Amino acid sequence: MPKSLESVIEIGSTGIRLVVCQRMPDGQFNVIDKSELPVSLGWDVFTSRLVSRETLLQCVKILTRFKEQLAGWGITPEQNSIIATSALREATNRDTVLDRIFVKTGFRVKIIDGIEENFYMYTAVLESLRNDCPQIKTQNSLILAIGGGSTEIMLLNKGKMAVVHSLRLGTVILE
């Protein structure tokens, strides 16, 4: 695998997403591949506190597909970062789910807390708005990211994170 390739898989409340990027010499990232498939983790966890067997099997199937996709780029499970957000954070059977994912795919999943999720969202927003909205670095801004299981709030002071908060309130929880 060329050293410039990096990949991340995110297991969210409503879907599993994969992004493969190439780091350019200037430090910027160029997205070269991405995939997203729906999964009902949030529905399971926010109604019963458990990931059902059916949903776990669906997750493993999606992750196995993504593992094959990454292999096409020469990326192994050990070279990939894989994170999970609020649904797995709140699942009472998360350890069993993480063990099954590792056994079936070789992926070691890191469950991130709301503040870390905020930081990644902040980084992604700044990167995506860098060219299209340069005033984000000179004016105050509010970023509101509504997910399936949580809502991330970030107040920016001239492009710098000033206040962050994570609420246990999302689209799946509201249903």
Side-chain angles (χ1 to χ4, degrees), residues 1-21:
M1 175 186 86
K3 288 185 180 184
S4 61
L5 288 185
E6 298 182 24
S7 60
V8 176
I9 294 174
E10 182 237 344
I11 302 174
S13 298
T14 60
I16 302 177
R17 291 163 272 291
L18 163 69
V19 176
V20 178
C21 295

Side-chain angles (χ1 to χ4, degrees), residues 85-165:
T85 57
S86 62
L88 279 181
R89 201 166 45 231
E90 294 188 27
T92 56
N93 63 339
R94 73 180 151 267
D95 292 338
T96 302
V97 171
L98 297 179
D99 287 345
R100 177 59 59 185
I101 288 171
F102 177 71
V103 167
K104 293 293 187 181
T105 66
F107 288 130
R108 292 195 185 275
V109 179
K110 176 185 177 190
I111 297 177
I112 61 173
D113 63 26
I115 299 303
E116 190 171 358
E117 192 172 345
N118 261 317
F119 173 75
Y120 292 139
M121 185 68 61
Y122 164 76
T123 304
V125 167
L126 283 187
E127 175 63 24
S128 66
L129 294 179
R130 182 173 35 86
N131 295 326
D132 297 333
C133 190
Q135 66 269 28
I136 198 166
K137 293 202 176 203
T138 60
Q139 299 175 358
N140 293 338
S141 307
L142 175 71
I143 299 171
L144 187 64
I146 302 170
S150 65
T151 296
E152 312 307 324
I153 303 169
M154 291 158 271
L155 180 60
L156 307 183
N157 182 357
K158 296 184 174 139
K160 303 282 187 212
M161 199 180 307
V163 177
V164 298
H165 197 65

Side-chain angles (χ1 to χ4, degrees), residues 24-39:
M24 305 309 286
D26 64 359
Q28 301 300 317
F29 289 96
N30 181 29
V31 175
I32 58 173
D33 196 6
K34 63 182 182 176
S35 296
E36 179 176 357
L37 291 169
V39 70

Side-chain angles (χ1 to χ4, degrees), residues 53-65:
R53 182 179 187 284
E54 295 78 23
T55 300
L56 174 56
L57 292 173
Q58 184 183 15
C59 288
V60 168
K61 183 177 179 180
I62 292 168
L63 291 168
T64 300
R65 177 177 166 181

